[in-house]
Amino acid sequence: MTSSPLVPRDTRVWLITDGKAGDLAPCRGLAEALGAAADERVVAPRPPFSWLAPRGPADPRERALGPPWPDLAIATGRRAVPALRAVKGRSGGKTFTVFLRDPRIGAGAADLIWVPAHDSLRGPNVIVTDIGPHPVSPARLAAARAHPDPRLSALPRPRAAVLVGGDSRHGRFTEDDARRLLAGLERLAGEASLMITASRRTPGPLQAALADLARRQGGFFWDGSGENPYLALVALADAIVATADSANMVSEACAAGVPVLLFEPGNLYPRHRPLFEALKLHGTVHAFTGRVEALRPKPLDMTLAIAQAVANAYIGHRDALARRKAR
């Protein structure tokens, strides 16, 4: 949480998602930048309500949605759209609602919407930036550097963090993708100590090959035991390799202020391509070739700017409610 909160400390905040890690992360990052303690509400609508999202109504038996209503609700994900609209209505319009990414039903889905620049949604209540909010804040990075993870700090520099995703609903990480990634990492291991972490989406054979690579090259592979080193990897890296199946992961890597080396799978999700091209033009992201980039970019992080815009809009909403009540 920030030392100087952007919203009053007594602001009641909900984060509404269906529990996916990729949806929770930006909501948590935004709440932290606001300086707000947030209550995470996970929605699990039953059919047919789950089928009708985002356009349909919220499940009337949704246990996560009940009074007392929040002052500020932040949501993302298709199934969270009806829930956010329901909170707005059931609170009598008092809850200020924020949606992250395109809700697919227009700018009226929330009081304020953030979208990445490559999305087409625009409007007076739409915030547009290249990258979105995330929890890899400057304060967290500084703390991880001040008290480095001993599993990583003992590795010789330069150190390269390797953040590997995998299969998603937008495409599979193929055997050819795995071969290309491993070949590049073998080359990179000749220049830098590898600090590797995989995700639950990483195919099993690729995970095994990454673990073997780290063992042979004297690097680090997180096998799921002990504390998750993800933040430490990003903080202690001199370069970061990130797979392009996750826009969140690449955005978080850009906050570290080191070159981000992007590995693009063969079936890259088309909606991510404009974002990555913009980051390459910015000079933060480079194509992964198995070599360490020498130029060190400035950290690229829009979380605080987005949080300030949310805070300004929320405080304006709160003041308008107070004036209405005073009449």
Side-chain angles (χ1 to χ4, degrees):
M1 189 176 296
T2 58
S3 56
S4 300
L6 300 180
V7 295
R9 293 188 184 277
D10 62 352
T11 303
R12 184 184 294 114
V13 180
W14 283 8
L15 308 183
I16 304 174
T17 72
D18 65 1
K20 292 188 182 72
D23 289 338
L24 273 171
C27 292
R28 287 171 174 168
L30 178 55
E32 181 176 350
L34 289 168
D39 182 6
E40 296 182 3
R41 298 294 174 113
V42 177
V43 294
R46 305 159 303 156
F49 303 100
S50 58
W51 303 335
L52 298 173
R55 297 186 178 280
D59 186 337
R61 293 173 58 187
E62 181 60 71
R63 294 182 178 181
L65 307 180
W69 305 110
D71 303 303
L72 172 62
I74 302 167
T76 194
R78 177 180 64 85
R79 292 195 287 184
V81 175
L84 189 68
R85 295 166 64 200
V87 169
K88 183 70 176 181
R90 295 173 192 176
S91 71
K94 294 180 180 179
T95 299
F96 186 78
T97 57
V98 178
F99 195 83
L100 304 180
R101 306 190 189 111
D102 189 344
R104 305 297 181 213
I105 59 170
D111 293 311
L112 196 67
I113 296 172
W114 168 82
V115 297
H118 59 270
D119 273 357
S120 60
L121 183 67
R122 297 292 185 272
N125 66 325
V126 179
I127 305 167
V128 182
T129 62
D130 281 335
I131 60 176
H134 57 74
V136 182
S137 65
R140 288 180 181 271
L141 290 170
R145 289 165 183 151
H147 303 283
D149 188 322
R151 296 173 294 178
L152 306 175
S153 59
L155 295 173
R157 298 186 69 172
R159 295 184 287 254
V162 182
L163 315 178
V164 181
D167 299 339
S168 72
R169 63 190 178 92
H170 302 302
R172 297 187 62 80
F173 213 87
T174 67
E175 291 183 5
D176 180 65
D177 293 329
R179 282 193 296 269
R180 289 191 298 113
L181 176 61
L182 290 165
L185 292 176
E186 288 278 5
R187 292 193 297 274
L188 186 61
E191 298 186 15
S193 299
L194 302 185
M195 308 180 295
I196 306 173
T197 184
S199 80
R200 287 174 294 181
R201 299 183 291 106
T202 308
L206 177 55
Q207 284 204 38
L210 291 168
D212 178 67
L213 172 63
R215 179 187 57 77
R216 289 188 290 103
Q217 297 289 354
F220 170 84
F221 176 81
W222 188 50
D223 61 4
S225 61
E227 184 178 353
N228 188 331
Y230 179 83
L231 184 64
L233 263 70
V234 174
L236 299 179
D238 298 292
I240 300 174
V241 178
T243 58
D245 52 278
S246 170
N248 279 352
M249 192 162 65
V250 175
S251 298
E252 290 167 357
C254 289
V258 300
V260 177
L261 312 176
L262 186 69
F263 176 82
E264 300 184 23
N267 56 356
L268 176 65
Y269 183 37
R271 288 180 58 81
H272 287 170
R273 193 175 298 280
L275 166 63
F276 297 147
E277 292 305 315
L279 294 177
K280 289 174 183 176
L281 288 174
H282 184 272
T284 304
V285 167
H286 309 265
F288 177 54
T289 63
R291 303 297 302 273
V292 175
E293 287 288 334
L295 295 178
R296 192 178 183 96
K298 292 182 179 179
L300 179 60
D301 186 359
M302 299 303 298
T303 304
L304 186 57
I306 297 167
Q308 187 65 67
V310 169
N312 291 345
Y314 164 69
I315 291 170
H317 167 80
R318 184 197 61 175
D319 292 347
L321 289 178
R323 288 193 299 270
R324 196 177 308 153
K325 186 176 181 181
R327 289 173 185 168

